[in-house]
Amino acid sequence: MSVLPILHWPHPRLSQIARPVGAVTDDVRSLAADMLETMYAAPGRGLAAPQVGVLSRIFVMDATWKDGEREPMVCIDPEILGASNETVEFDEGCLSIPGVIMAITRLEAVRMAWTALDGARVIAALDGIAARVAQHELDHLDGIVTFDRLPDAARAVALDDYAAVGA
Ligand code: ZN
């Protein structure tokens, strides 16, 4: 396993739509292992393949490891099947936008399907931080970053902050 370099916005790969993965091959398992190592080293709660330059629909997450045991998840070809009507605003960082925290409104709970590393299709209900991380990482697979989730005025402020950080 190895820690991979994380691309910073506005790298063009962060604005592109990733391709479906399909079969879980040795290459996919190897990429997932490297992405988990990279995420924990960063340290972060989630990492999507485009953030390490790979335009494949795969992300890794561990919503709670900073508060306890590691519970790594590898989500391949994820899709949202359903969602709560409730939305919630919460401060979010992004490993590709270091130094800027943005208040992002997201669905409070989602039902998500994905392919796990063993090739099985999994369906789970996510809420709290897990729902937030999953939606953030799924956005990356569609070329969407936190700036894109902000109203125009807030986006302008966040872009100024990011420029000031000098990333
Ligand atoms: Zn991110």
Side-chain angles (χ1 to χ4, degrees), residues 14 46-48 51 92-97 136-137 140 144-146:
L14 295 170
L47 183 72
Q51 294 182 274
E92 261 179 50
C94 176
L95 295 176
S96 292
I97 307 174
H136 178 114
E137 302 310 329
H140 276 303
I144 296 167
V145 298
T146 42

Side-chain angles (χ1 to χ4, degrees), residues 17 29 33 41-42 63 76 80 101 106 109 113 120 124 150 154 156:
I17 296 176
R29 281 186 282 269
I76 299 163
I80 303 269
I101 300 294
R106 294 196 188 273
L150 292 175

Side-chain angles (χ1 to χ4, degrees), residues 36 39-40 44-47 59-75 114 117 124-127 129-130 133:
L36 279 169
M39 178 191 78
Y40 286 124
R45 289 190 170 93
L47 183 72
F59 69 73
V60 297
M61 62 179 273
D62 186 336
T64 55
W65 73 277
K66 291 183 178 180
D67 311 308
E69 296 288 302
R70 287 189 178 187
E71 292 182 29
M73 286 172 59
V74 176
C75 300
W114 69 93
L117 271 185
L126 305 176
D127 60 13
I129 294 176
V133 174

Side-chain angles (χ1 to χ4, degrees), residues 124-159:
L126 305 176
D127 60 13
I129 294 176
R132 173 160 297 270
V133 174
Q135 290 172 81
H136 178 114
E137 302 310 329
L138 197 47
D139 270 356
H140 276 303
L141 304 185
D142 291 321
I144 296 167
V145 298
T146 42
F147 289 127
D148 304 319
R149 290 286 180 194
L150 292 175
D152 287 347
R155 178 187 169 98
V157 171
L159 286 170

Side-chain angles (χ1 to χ4, degrees), residues 109-132:
V110 295
R111 232 164 69 85
M112 193 173 76
W114 69 93
T115 302
L117 271 185
D118 63 2
R121 199 73 179 159
V122 179
I123 296 176
L126 305 176
D127 60 13
I129 294 176
R132 173 160 297 270

